[in-house]
Amino acid sequence: MTLTQKFASVLAIAFCFFFPHYGGGILIYPLIVSVVVFFFLKYIAKENLANLFFSFKRFEFASVLIGLAGAVILSAFFKFAWDPLIGIIFPGEKIDLSDFANIRGNLTNYIVILLLAFIVGGFYEEIIFHGFIFTRLEKIFPGRHSTATAFGLTAIIFGAYHYQQGIKGVLFTMIAGAVYHLLILKFIRNLWYGIFIHTFFDFIGLTLIYLGYL
């Protein structure tokens, strides 16, 4: 990767991080960011979605089952292990879930948010963070530790991306994102595994909010 490409990659990562918070609603920013990433891949990196670990040909039904099982286990971990621990470290701190307050007890809003969680959380965020940003960081920091370095930085970036949820929300999403990412790498860099564990994990959380448990 040339110095110019590294600089362009840093700018693209920054755009993917900041634009969604300032560039319009949830139905607008995924489209704009996706277009920018597409043109970056096509004209700067000379790559395509397969280089971001995503291809319809690589879909495996096992990714659905493993994603569901992983989401259930991860949810249980946060409920019974992480929440009590983080409550001691940050007493009084809560994850800010006000963005989802309108689904509590509202079936229509709940169904709409589930659909958006699948499209934006499952597909968009996995392609952008654990596909695009991760692979850019691997190229920016080449060497024997490039994957570990890129993995750690991606987890931090993914957590910080959810800063509106407060410090507990940042730590929560950093750990969850790292688990999604580990699953992708475990299955030979197949993004479908990240997509489904992310989607099902969001579904569980949103369902708990809808029912009034969160």
Side-chain angles (χ1 to χ4, degrees), residues 4 16 29 38 53 78 121 132 137 144 164 180 182:
T4 300
C16 291
Y29 75 77
F38 171 80
F53 320 142
F78 278 118
F132 180 72
L137 291 171
R144 61 182 297 188
Q164 72 276 9
Y180 308 156
L182 281 173

Side-chain angles (χ1 to χ4, degrees), residues 79-94:
K79 173 64 177 177
F80 299 109
W82 176 257
D83 284 354
L85 175 62
I86 204 66
I88 295 173
I89 299 173
F90 296 105
E93 282 283 338
K94 293 184 178 180

Side-chain angles (χ1 to χ4, degrees), residues 12 15-16 19-20 28-38 124 128:
F15 179 80
C16 291
F19 182 79
I28 299 174
Y29 75 77
L31 178 61
I32 295 175
V33 173
S34 297
V35 169
V36 170
V37 167
F38 171 80
Y124 169 80
I128 296 301

Side-chain angles (χ1 to χ4, degrees), residues 59-67 187 193:
F59 170 77
E60 299 171 358
F61 186 68
S63 65
V64 180
L65 299 179
I66 291 174
F187 289 94
Y193 288 86

Side-chain angles (χ1 to χ4, degrees), residues 124-143:
Y124 169 80
E125 289 190 358
E126 288 305 304
I127 289 174
I128 296 301
F129 286 92
H130 300 134
F132 180 72
I133 290 178
F134 172 70
T135 54
R136 296 318 97 191
L137 291 171
E138 272 195 315
K139 294 177 185 296
I140 291 172
F141 300 101

Side-chain angles (χ1 to χ4, degrees), residues 124-196:
Y124 169 80
E125 289 190 358
E126 288 305 304
I127 289 174
I128 296 301
F129 286 92
H130 300 134
F132 180 72
I133 290 178
F134 172 70
T135 54
R136 296 318 97 191
L137 291 171
E138 272 195 315
K139 294 177 185 296
I140 291 172
F141 300 101
R144 61 182 297 188
H145 301 298
S146 63
T147 298
T149 300
F151 179 89
L153 290 174
T154 301
I156 293 171
I157 292 170
F158 186 70
Y161 178 74
H162 295 81
Y163 67 83
Q164 72 276 9
Q165 295 181 6
I167 183 63
K168 286 182 69 174
V170 168
L171 294 173
F172 180 92
T173 51
M174 184 171 69
I175 293 172
V179 173
Y180 308 156
H181 203 171
L182 281 173
L183 208 58
I184 292 168
L185 298 178
K186 166 70 175 176
F187 289 94
I188 319 176
R189 300 192 171 211
N190 188 333
L191 204 74
W192 285 105
Y193 288 86
I195 288 171
F196 283 111

